[in-house]
Amino acid sequence: MPSSRIAVSGSSGLIGAALVRSLRADGHEVARLVRRPARTGDEVEWDPQRGYVDVAGLVGCDAIVHLAGAGVGDHRWTEAYKREIRDSRVLGTAAVAEAVASLDTPPRVLLSGSAIGFYGDTGSSPVDESAPPGDGFLPSVCEEWEAATAAAEEAGVRTAHARTGLVVGREGGAWGRLFPLFKAGLGGKLGNGRQYWSFIALHDHVAALRHILDTESLAGPVNLTGPRPVTNAEVTAAMGRVLRRPTLFPAPAPALKLVLGEFAEDVLGSQRVIPAKLLDSGFSFAFPDIDGAIRAALR
């Protein structure tokens, strides 16, 4: 993509911050959506709960990357927090899509966040973007989340949904919690360890987002996972190898359910997700294997 103006929501999160750094390093102008009055020229005010976006701040944007949403694992899943998870995604996405559709000259692409939670528990069966939604809370949220981009699609904007897997990064997400435990020698498999984890290195995730922005043929759901999903037991062994620490402290399923409540079902669930669209479009992974992804995060 030639030097462009790109708006990004969720720019303070693990993925958003890395994407902003990458775009700016290549000379792109980035406008960050912030939940307060804009203080600088690179900020755009928005309020997802009220459905408000300062549309003037999006004028001239070639692309919008919408990544904002409450953390799925940040709190115990009370009914109130489940509403926050859902509303932060669905209401925020609808606000961004409607703002995009209202522009006289809309951006050429809206890249909106989603998650492999769309598929539910797939067991050991591999699934790609053609698979139907699963059952349960997260699949239903992902369906509504993706449907909320309708206004932009109806306005003729190419719209893609980045179905993100487990991002291997040191500063946030699932691995942000795993690294301190394993470095302290307190890591171990979760449950029986046979559940598949569809991981992706943070470096590859950012590169994949940029690949979607640049590739006109990519629209609709796109799985952002590495090409070789591994089991939780294999993740545990890899963490031990790379960090050179013992992995003797498993977390039994009953203990996880006691601590995490309903969210434990998703932690213990298995998702063997294949990034078919990325691979078919010629995307190349820098860190396709779990050991390399972990080492990249540590660097």
Side-chain angles (χ1 to χ4, degrees), residues 47-68:
D47 185 334
Q49 290 296 323
R50 291 195 294 117
Y52 170 75
V53 180
D54 180 6
V55 176
L58 302 183
V59 172
C61 285
D62 189 58
I64 311 288
V65 183
H66 173 51
L67 302 173

Side-chain angles (χ1 to χ4, degrees), residues 117-136:
F118 176 92
Y119 303 108
D121 191 335
T122 69
S124 60
S125 300
V127 295
D128 63 17
E129 291 90 348
S130 65
D135 298 318

